Amino acid sequence: MDAMMFHGLIAVESAPPLELPSAPGKAVPRTYPGAPQEVQLPIELQPLSRTPRSNKSASTYRINLVSTFGKDNGPRPVTTTTTIFSSGPELEDQSRPGTPKDSLNDDSANSDSVEAMQSIMEPYMNRWRLLAMCLICFSNGMSDSAPGALIPAMEKYYSIGYAIVSLIFVGNALGFIAAAFFVDAIRERLGRAKTLAVGQGLISLGYIPMIATAPYPAIVVGFFFVGFGMSINLAMGNVFCGSLSNSTTALSMMHGSYGIGGTVGPLLATAMVTVFEVVWSRYYALSLGLTVLGGVCGTCAFWHYERDTQQHLGSTGGSGGQSGSTAAPKRDWRADVTAMVSALSNKVVLLGALFIFAYQGAEVSISGWVNTFLMDSRHVHDGSVGYVTAGFWGGITLGRFLLAPPAHRIGEKLFVVIVVVGACAFQLVVWLVPNLIGNAVAVAIVGLLLGPVYPCAAAVFMRNISKQKQVSGMGVISAFGSSGGAAAPFTTGLLAQAAGTFVLHPIVIGLFVVMMICWYGLPNKPKRSE
């Protein structure tokens, strides 16, 4: 029995060993077209190693990424990827958004990049620059408004008629047009301070033959130089005030000063000719003195304009150290022609020039011929009718100061439509109501409604013209637009010689219609507030 048990034990131990389960087969990746695929690489993050700091304000961090698997999840040699991160001023400079200075220095920057906007109070000299521009516009207003009161005296002195005396408006307009081709080039080469000095010098030169009561052709030439200088300074003033954050207020103050001069001019001219019986030409001695004073103040105020502008934009060197007395680098005359052609091809510039052409044509026609209309149609031969022109310019002045805030709140586009329609209605009153007092009041109301039109229009133009084309564009608008201040009064004089002075009113109303058509075509770009 023991032997049988031992034999079974031996048989059991000598049996073949049991086979263990085989290892599973290698997984085969499968791709399903309808399911999103994602390749995951197991990455092991090793401890951060910090490089020694070269200074206390900057530091660098290193992260090693170790990958041990390939794209097919199979083993491959260990590779290490090192990524270096920096902190401190270097990282801040890299992450900081671009500045206006960077955009100006980068040739590939967008031409319409946004720049920091100045205001009337900042930089500090801007308040004095605005005051200087107001003084210059005050002098211009006295000069432009005087012919309305002086035309009867000029006709008597030179024994000429309406058509010949209207040539002073043509000479003035030709000066404005000629300046459009040079204003941007002069500003590029001389800077704004010396450009203002050149403009005021040309105006002073134009007053000399007037004060001397030279022959009438010389008077027309004098008005040419006056128009040339005014076009330069008007473009500089519009660009300066229009580039400020509160542009509507600044433009209203500048052109309101023009209205004040336009109010004072006829009062002084009428008093000198009728009360003191002074020769008409002596009036321009006052204008000459104010022009010289405005030139000195404007040159001093804008002497460091370029430097202050660069400092306001955060400049630390380079062109920021240039003053207004430093001439800009010379550029080829082809660049000036290109800038002019580029401005003329701009839709806003073309519509703006036609709009200002109609506006100033209506303004100067009313100012220059309403006195003659009242003397002929209302049978008023008293020299005091010249004060009606003062009422017209007084209305313009009040309109530019009092109606600017409502225009800013309502919006310039809608506000201009409202006031132009109202001006057209009161112009019909002057034409159709045969009452001297009523006509004088209606003329003043027309001036009141037309007052804010120019500042509102200039603000809209500045918002829709790129910064690179603002000087040349506003120069074209001021020059070709202001030529309406000659074409319309000259046409009125020619037709008045043949048909009568009543032609003033249909011409003015037609110009109002042209203004509305151009205004409708202008884009309505929203104002910047930052």
Side-chain angles (χ1 to χ4, degrees):
M1 179 133 184
D2 295 336
M4 293 179 64
M5 294 177 62
F6 181 76
H7 175 73
L9 178 61
I10 295 299
V12 172
E13 290 183 352
S14 61
L18 297 175
E19 294 183 2
L20 298 175
S22 61
K26 183 179 179 180
V28 179
R30 290 180 173 84
T31 302
Y32 299 95
Q37 305 298 318
E38 179 179 1
V39 179
Q40 297 182 352
L41 298 179
I43 298 177
E44 178 183 354
L45 297 180
Q46 295 184 355
L48 295 175
S49 61
R50 180 176 299 177
T51 59
R53 295 187 180 183
S54 58
N55 52 59
K56 295 182 179 180
S57 61
S59 59
T60 305
Y61 301 94
R62 185 186 304 274
I63 296 179
N64 297 323
L65 305 180
V66 181
S67 177
T68 58
F69 291 86
K71 293 183 179 180
D72 56 355
N73 291 336
R76 69 173 184 181
V78 177
T79 59
T80 303
T81 303
T82 302
T83 304
I84 299 176
F85 297 91
S86 298
S87 66
E90 291 82 359
L91 182 59
E92 294 176 2
D93 293 339
Q94 296 173 5
S95 62
R96 183 180 296 114
T99 62
K101 175 177 175 289
D102 299 331
S103 300
L104 290 174
N105 295 332
D106 187 5
D107 296 335
S108 63
N110 188 350
S111 61
D112 292 330
S113 58
V114 178
E115 294 191 1
M117 299 186 70
Q118 300 183 17
S119 65
I120 296 176
M121 308 302 292
E122 183 65 31
Y124 177 80
M125 281 299 296
N126 276 1
R127 63 195 72 184
W128 297 107
R129 290 165 184 149
L130 179 59
L131 183 62
M133 292 309 306
C134 289
L135 178 60
I136 291 174
C137 286
F138 175 83
S139 175
N140 293 347
M142 287 190 60
S143 177
D144 285 345
S145 63
L150 296 177
I151 279 179
M154 295 172 67
E155 292 175 349
K156 182 178 180 181
Y157 185 87
Y158 289 105
S159 301
I160 54 179
Y162 295 151
I164 301 300
V165 78
S166 298
L167 290 176
I168 60 174
F169 300 112
V170 177
N172 189 269
L174 291 177
F176 267 90
I177 295 174
F181 295 93
F182 301 100
V183 58
D184 198 31
I186 295 174
R187 196 264 310 173
E188 285 284 343
R189 288 167 171 79
L190 302 181
R192 303 207 182 196
K194 289 185 177 180
T195 301
L196 287 173
V198 170
Q200 294 299 97
L202 291 174
I203 295 174
S204 301
L205 181 64
Y207 286 147
I208 293 177
M210 302 179 195
I211 297 174
T213 322
Y216 194 73
I219 301 299
V220 176
V221 174
F223 272 93
F224 171 84
F225 285 105
V226 171
F228 197 106
M230 286 185 180
S231 178
I232 293 176
N233 295 338
L234 182 61
M236 292 294 101
N238 283 334
V239 171
F240 168 70
C241 294
S243 62
L244 301 178
S245 59
N246 39 2
S247 58
T248 303
T249 302
L251 288 167
S252 296
M253 293 177 64
M254 188 183 84
H255 292 285
S257 301
Y258 179 89
I260 295 176
T263 304
V264 174
L267 294 176
L268 291 177
T270 302
M272 292 175 67
V273 173
T274 59
V275 178
F276 300 101
E277 298 181 353
V278 179
V279 180
W280 65 271
S281 60
R282 300 299 183 264
Y283 168 82
Y284 289 100
L286 299 175
S287 299
L288 176 62
L290 287 175
T291 300
V292 174
L293 178 61
V296 172
C297 294
T299 303
C300 294
F302 282 88
W303 193 255
H304 296 294
Y305 176 80
E306 287 78 8
R307 184 194 66 183
D308 292 346
T309 301
Q310 292 296 333
Q311 289 178 350
H312 185 76
L313 296 177
S315 176
T316 57
S319 62
Q322 295 179 358
S323 66
S325 61
T326 303
K330 291 185 177 181
R331 64 179 188 179
D332 189 66
W333 62 270
R334 298 179 185 85
D336 301 330
V337 176
T338 301
M340 178 62 61
V341 173
S342 178
L344 288 173
S345 63
N346 188 284
K347 173 185 175 182
V348 176
V349 173
L350 291 177
L351 290 177
L354 187 56
F355 179 88
I356 299 299
F357 178 94
Y359 168 79
Q360 290 203 330
E363 181 185 66
V364 178
S365 296
I366 296 173
S367 173
W369 291 106
V370 69
N371 291 345
T372 306
F373 167 77
L374 293 177
M375 293 175 66
D376 292 345
S377 300
R378 306 294 182 255
H379 307 291
V380 179
H381 300 286
D382 187 3
S384 61
V385 74
Y387 294 115
V388 175
T389 304
F392 173 75
W393 286 102
I396 289 181
T397 305
L398 291 178
R400 288 177 176 174
F401 282 110
L402 299 181
L403 298 183
H408 186 74
R409 289 192 298 267
I410 297 174
E412 289 87 353
K413 288 283 290 184
L414 176 60
F415 189 82
V416 168
V417 174
I418 296 174
V419 296
V420 171
V421 172
C424 184
F426 281 97
Q427 188 66 34
L428 289 173
V429 173
V430 179
W431 184 10
L432 301 177
V433 177
N435 183 275
L436 179 62
I437 298 178
N439 295 156
V441 174
V443 168
I445 295 176
V446 171
L448 177 70
L449 296 175
L450 291 180
V453 171
Y454 198 111
C456 292
V460 172
F461 300 154
M462 290 292 295
R463 288 201 298 267
N464 289 280
I465 301 177
S466 63
K467 185 173 180 61
Q468 287 73 19
K469 298 180 181 179
Q470 282 180 357
V471 174
S472 58
M474 292 304 296
V476 171
I477 291 175
S478 300
F480 290 94
S482 298
S483 64
F490 181 69
T491 303
T492 302
L494 291 178
L495 295 179
Q497 187 82 28
T501 54
F502 74 91
V503 298
L504 166 68
H505 306 290
I507 290 176
V508 169
I509 293 174
L511 292 173
F512 287 159
V513 174
V514 174
M515 289 171 60
M516 289 294 92
I517 296 174
C518 297
W519 194 248
Y520 178 79
L522 287 171
N524 188 17
K525 186 176 181 180
K527 297 185 288 289
R528 285 179 56 194
S529 59
E530 68 277 6

